[in-house]
Amino acid sequence: MSPLLCLFAAAAAFISAVMCNLQMVAAGTGNSETIQGFLVPHNEARSQVGVPPLKWDVKLTNYARTYARVRRGDCLLQHSVGPFGENIFWGSGKRWNATEAVAAWVDEKKWYNYANNSCSSGQDCTHYTQIVWRTTTKVGCAVIKCNSGDTFITCNYYPPGNYIGDRPY
């Protein structure tokens, strides 16, 4: 390979690495593929019921990441006591990802009855209703591999939703 071609290849690799790092910083403390893995299914579910899309938020992401680190040692499916809306997910047996967690939450739609604004008896649909809560505008999430090898995922929402008696949309 000629010295000029080597220099060009090295410069291209450097520029690519810099651009990748800039994307990660601009996207809000996560890689853009993971962020899209969270945002796309959230916003698809919101679109289906006619509510505006969520925007990724660095503050919420930092909060989610801090709380996920707390759960690293025990991977308990336990909510934080923060001021935001929150969905949590625990997965065993493989490395779970953002899209799979959001899909599990959105799947609760089948248990939500808009006419009487409630979940089917014995079912939880509050992860879904938080996702589609009309006044929620921002989301930030984190994924962590626990010491056990299991996966803990959390998303935080602002403003929060799921107010008793209020419809999500």
Side-chain angles (χ1 to χ4, degrees), residues 75 77 88-96 101 144 146 148-153:
C75 218
L77 198 57
I88 55 176
F89 174 92
W90 170 84
S92 176
K94 69 174 192 145
R95 181 77 177 172
W96 295 82
I144 196 161
C146 300
S148 63
D150 298 334
T151 302
F152 182 84
I153 298 174

Side-chain angles (χ1 to χ4, degrees), residues 94-113:
K94 69 174 192 145
R95 181 77 177 172
W96 295 82
N97 65 39
T99 305
E100 292 167 319
V102 179
W105 297 329
V106 170
D107 190 50
E108 294 176 1
K109 178 181 184 175
K110 65 187 173 199
W111 296 313
Y112 179 65
N113 183 319

Side-chain angles (χ1 to χ4, degrees), residues 106-129:
V106 170
D107 190 50
E108 294 176 1
K109 178 181 184 175
K110 65 187 173 199
W111 296 313
Y112 179 65
N113 183 319
Y114 185 83
N116 63 17
N117 192 30
S118 66
C119 302
S120 298
S121 180
Q123 301 297 332
D124 183 13
C125 63
T126 57
H127 299 100
Y128 169 71
T129 54

Side-chain angles (χ1 to χ4, degrees), residues 1-12:
M1 185 182 293
S2 75
L4 186 57
L5 191 53
C6 284
L7 181 60
F8 177 74

Side-chain angles (χ1 to χ4, degrees), residues 8 20 26-27 40 48 54 64 76-77 81-82 84 88 117 141:
F8 177 74
C20 181
V40 169
Q48 290 175 5
L54 296 174
L76 288 178
L77 198 57
V81 292
F84 309 113
I88 55 176
N117 192 30
C141 306

Side-chain angles (χ1 to χ4, degrees), residues 14-74:
F14 175 76
I15 290 170
S16 177
V18 168
M19 292 306 292
C20 181
N21 286 334
L22 286 175
Q23 273 186 325
M24 289 172 63
V25 171
T29 69
N31 74 47
S32 60
E33 183 178 326
T34 300
I35 291 170
Q36 290 308 305
F38 282 115
L39 269 180
V40 169
H42 271 87
N43 288 332
E44 285 175 356
R46 292 174 66 83
S47 175
Q48 290 175 5
V49 296
V51 296
L54 296 174
K55 290 186 170 61
W56 192 257
D57 184 81
V58 173
K59 180 179 177 182
L60 293 171
T61 302
N62 288 336
Y63 182 88
R65 180 173 285 145
T66 298
Y67 185 64
R69 287 180 182 141
V70 169
R71 297 274 61 101
R72 177 177 278 158
D74 57 23

